[in-house]
Amino acid sequence: MDCEIKLWLVVIFLFSSAIYCVVGEPQVPCLFIFGDSLSDSGNNNNLNTDAKVNYMPYGIDFPGGPTGRFTNGRTSIDIISQILGFPNFIPPYANTEGADIVLGVNYASGAAGIRNETGTHLGPDISMGLQVQHHTDIVSQITEKLGSEKVQEHLNKCLYYVNIGSNDYLNNYFLPQFYPSNGKYTADQYAAALVKEHSTYLKALHELGARKFSLVGLGPLGCIPHEISTHGKNNSLCIKEENNAAQLFNDKLRALVDRFNKELPDAKFILIGGSKSNDVKLTDIAICCKVGSNGQCIPDEKPCRARDLHPFFDAFHPSEMVNKLSAETAYHAPSPSFAYPMDISHLVKL
């Protein structure tokens, strides 16, 4: 067995027993989710886009079957919501009928990015800017329910989870055949432009009442199987250029966290992940399902059986087991490198 596979088995064994759910009142009164396919729970289902997965084998391990989640089971934020004590998953903005929006809404959209054009070669998506607009609409509805005097007090206590930026590289900067950004910016300039634009959306959320921000950094983009297979010279080694670009973004996002924590003393910003990670060598065991040219699972094809042993479900997205590890370390970080300057368990207590 390759050493890389052994490493995954050891990590899974060590952390699998650490996942737990809190029973009782939620630790925060509401949870609002912004992001891309790593958090999407069905917002893309009715869009005319290739970036939607409301079919088997996606959701094969999810209680409701295929829902539009880009994995075999729960996403990281699904699991975090359970750890926080929410009795139900936070509903997608596209389907809040019958749901209690006072408890939160999920605005995330597959292929979406910070920039409006990101991912649009696949079809329409809901960019970060549009997600903030949707939240503005939801805040108006919550105000009608709670009243103008109570709504700000309620929103100030909520957790705002923001996991976006990967597609601004995977479905923008590193696709020069579709987008001009690579020719206009150096990697450092592009990261700076992204974080600057992102800061305007975060400030907009703050003006709408957000006070507890959990921002998620980018993972090693160059180690995603689809990137290795389509951009790499070696079919098993990570692409350093993409990993370096992601690190530039993370460094600037961390600096933004520091700046906002000084400029907006009534709020608290934390960064989940985003630390430097060593390159790894991936093997055929990395992907669980049979994928098409777009890197997504081929509809109705049977996936692997041992899904807990595969870090990726398709060629882009992690399996539920990896999502469990990500959720646990985000909530209760084993070291400062996993969450800065604190983890979610401390943020929600503020």
Side-chain angles (χ1 to χ4, degrees):
M1 182 181 291
D2 291 337
C3 61
E4 294 83 6
I5 300 173
K6 288 181 180 179
L7 177 60
W8 274 107
L9 294 176
V10 170
V11 171
I12 289 170
F13 175 78
L14 289 176
F15 281 92
S16 60
S17 62
I19 305 301
Y20 58 90
C21 297
V22 178
V23 179
E25 288 294 318
Q27 297 171 41
V28 286
C30 43
L31 170 61
F32 294 104
I33 302 162
F34 302 82
D36 52 32
S37 58
L38 295 176
S39 306
D40 191 351
S41 59
N43 284 311
N44 277 22
N45 289 352
N46 295 323
L47 298 182
N48 184 23
T49 175
D50 289 338
K52 58 182 174 182
V53 291
N54 52 341
Y55 58 84
M56 288 290 281
Y58 292 100
I60 190 172
D61 299 309
F62 190 78
T67 58
R69 288 169 167 83
F70 288 71
T71 186
N72 57 303
R74 295 166 294 170
T75 63
S76 291
I77 191 56
D78 283 333
I79 298 167
I80 289 172
S81 72
Q82 291 180 313
I83 295 174
L84 290 172
F86 286 91
N88 301 303
F89 296 120
I90 303 300
Y93 176 81
N95 184 22
T96 56
E97 184 177 354
D100 187 358
I101 60 173
V102 174
L103 295 177
V105 174
N106 185 336
Y107 306 99
S109 170
I114 296 168
R115 296 174 71 93
N116 290 334
E117 77 274 12
T118 289
T120 53
H121 69 287
L122 298 169
D125 58 52
I126 309 166
S127 66
M128 184 64 185
L130 286 175
Q131 291 180 37
V132 173
Q133 290 183 30
H134 289 167
H135 182 60
T136 303
D137 172 59
I138 289 295
V139 168
S140 296
Q141 295 181 45
I142 294 176
T143 301
E144 293 179 3
K145 289 176 175 287
L146 299 182
S148 57
E149 294 182 359
K150 294 183 178 180
V151 66
Q152 284 302 310
E153 181 182 355
H154 177 76
L155 295 174
N156 289 172
K157 298 176 181 178
C158 302
L159 176 64
Y160 293 74
Y161 179 90
V162 186
N163 187 356
I164 199 165
S166 295
N167 287 308
D168 291 296
Y169 289 95
L170 302 178
N171 284 312
N172 190 323
Y173 193 71
F174 290 115
L175 287 182
Q177 64 271 39
F178 294 108
Y179 305 96
S181 55
N182 195 292
K184 288 184 177 181
Y185 302 95
T186 65
D188 188 71
Q189 290 171 339
Y190 188 65
L194 279 181
V195 172
K196 182 179 180 180
E197 184 172 354
H198 198 27
S199 70
T200 63
Y201 299 132
L202 297 175
K203 281 187 176 180
L205 292 177
H206 179 265
E207 291 175 1
L208 289 167
R211 294 298 182 268
K212 298 180 181 182
F213 291 84
S214 176
L215 311 182
V216 183
L218 305 186
L221 301 179
C223 296
I224 293 174
H226 184 269
E227 296 306 290
I228 293 174
S229 65
T230 57
H231 299 293
K233 296 179 180 179
N234 184 304
N235 62 4
S236 63
L237 294 179
C238 299
I239 305 169
K240 289 185 177 181
E241 179 188 4
E242 297 194 3
N243 282 353
N244 291 340
Q247 193 59 53
L248 287 171
F249 176 87
N250 291 338
D251 291 343
K252 296 183 190 305
L253 189 60
R254 181 182 173 114
L256 182 68
V257 165
D258 285 335
R259 179 163 68 87
F260 274 175
N261 280 332
K262 292 179 180 179
E263 294 179 357
L264 304 172
D266 62 340
K268 190 65 178 181
F269 292 77
I270 69 171
L271 175 62
I272 300 299
S275 60
K276 293 182 179 179
S277 56
N278 295 324
D279 290 351
V280 297
K281 183 178 180 181
L282 296 181
T283 63
D284 291 338
I285 198 174
I287 301 176
C288 179
C289 73
K290 296 179 181 178
V291 300
S293 58
N294 62 357
Q296 295 177 184
C297 298
I298 298 173
D300 300 321
E301 286 279 354
K302 290 184 178 181
C304 66
R305 292 184 178 181
R307 291 182 284 278
D308 284 355
L309 303 182
H310 291 70
F312 290 89
F313 187 60
D314 62 15
F316 280 109
H317 304 96
S319 63
E320 184 185 58
M321 176 52 71
V322 172
N323 288 336
K324 288 180 181 179
L325 306 183
S326 299
E328 172 62 20
T329 54
Y331 179 79
H332 188 71
S335 74
S337 64
F338 287 90
Y340 173 83
M342 64 181 67
D343 56 28
I344 291 176
S345 71
H346 290 85
L347 176 64
V348 296
K349 293 176 183 178
L350 296 179

